[in-house]
Amino acid sequence: MVSISIYLSSLIAGLLTGVGALISIAIKNPSDKLLSLSLGFASGIMLGISTFSLIPESLELGNIYFCALGFVCGAGFLGLLDYGLPHIHKNEMEYDEYKKMGYFIAIGIAVHNLPEGIAIGVSNEVSVVMGFYMAVSIGIHNIAEGLSVAMPLSLSPNMKKSRVVFITSITGLATLLGTIIGKAIITISAFFISASLAFAAGAMIYITSAELIPKSHRSYGKYANIGIVAGILFSLFLR
């Protein structure tokens, strides 16, 4: 019964990314200023989660070498996708940069959700209460992450609203997968989790640098900077 409960809590926590998608869809026809502000805010959230949460946790569980290795691999993996994705989906995304950006962020968030799910599973094995509160905490900041995924997808002219919600929500399923792994392999190496967290950080920072920040500054750089600062401050409360 307890196992079913933690799996359900993990699933709900993951699917809360869909709430972020619903918020994004509710913002119809955003102005250029709001667009710059929103993309900047998404950038700040991803930078904040990476620097305030993922990297410190990686260092705590492992050491600087595993952290550095995971970080480089994560950034390198997204770099390879950045090179290959436009060629794989050339007809669909050549003239739709927001769709490409949204797909990139979705991949980064899914990668990030896996070790978080592992943390839920491992915490539950230590204490049922600890596992539940871990799921609640992750679920709350998954809403903000869902907004980061959905905002660029919502701006894609050929993207249906239902598909935006589906893609955003599906990234949260990695949380449930991680929980299953965490409970099944309670003795999983802390160094593996350390490298996984840093991998997620590297992937998210690459996405932020390559996609979000440049596009947020196209029209109104000052609004983008305000969004970045607000996103980083907001991420402090998601730890």
Side-chain angles (χ1 to χ4, degrees):
M1 188 67 180
V2 171
S3 295
I4 295 175
S5 175
I6 195 61
Y7 291 142
L8 180 60
S9 297
S10 177
L11 176 62
I12 293 173
L15 293 180
L16 281 175
T17 53
V19 175
L22 295 176
I23 294 173
S24 176
I25 289 173
I27 305 173
K28 298 179 180 179
N29 301 319
S31 64
D32 288 341
K33 290 181 179 179
L34 181 58
L35 177 59
S36 292
L37 184 69
S38 301
L39 292 178
F41 184 71
S43 301
I45 289 176
M46 296 184 74
L47 287 173
I49 289 173
S50 298
T51 55
F52 298 144
S53 179
L54 295 177
I55 292 176
E57 288 179 21
S58 172
L59 290 170
E60 183 177 347
L61 288 171
N63 56 46
I64 192 170
Y65 302 107
F66 280 90
C67 181
L69 177 63
F71 186 87
V72 170
C73 289
F77 175 70
L78 264 293
L80 291 174
L81 280 181
D82 194 9
Y83 174 79
L85 195 59
H87 300 284
I88 296 172
H89 301 287
K90 185 174 181 180
N91 293 332
E92 181 181 6
M93 290 191 294
E94 186 173 16
Y95 304 106
D96 195 346
E97 58 188 355
Y98 289 114
K99 184 178 290 185
K100 175 189 172 185
M101 186 195 305
Y103 285 167
F104 265 28
I105 298 173
I107 292 170
I109 294 297
V111 169
H112 157 247
N113 282 341
L114 185 62
E116 284 196 340
I118 293 175
I120 294 174
V122 171
S123 297
N124 185 74
E125 290 300 303
V126 176
S127 165
V128 173
V129 175
M130 184 185 298
F132 175 75
Y133 282 117
M134 177 72 73
V136 170
S137 175
I138 289 172
I140 291 173
H141 86 243
N142 275 351
I143 297 175
E145 292 176 358
L147 183 62
S148 300
V149 175
M151 179 58 71
L153 290 177
S154 298
L155 294 169
S156 172
N158 300 317
M159 183 74 74
K160 295 181 180 179
K161 293 179 180 179
S162 58
R163 191 177 180 189
V164 172
V165 175
F166 175 76
I167 292 174
T168 305
S169 300
I170 206 73
T171 62
L173 293 182
T175 305
L176 176 60
L177 176 60
T179 300
I180 294 171
I181 294 173
K183 281 186 63 64
I185 317 175
I186 185 58
T187 57
I188 190 169
S189 169
F191 292 114
F192 172 79
I193 300 176
S194 170
S196 298
L197 290 167
F199 184 97
M204 292 173 69
I205 288 179
Y206 180 93
I207 294 165
T208 304
S209 175
E211 297 287 336
L212 282 171
I213 291 179
K215 290 179 176 61
S216 71
H217 278 76
R218 279 186 178 177
S219 300
Y220 291 91
K222 290 183 179 180
Y223 282 82
N225 289 332
I226 292 172
I228 291 171
V229 172
I232 290 175
L233 289 175
F234 184 68
S235 68
L236 280 171
F237 296 94
L238 299 178
R239 293 188 301 162

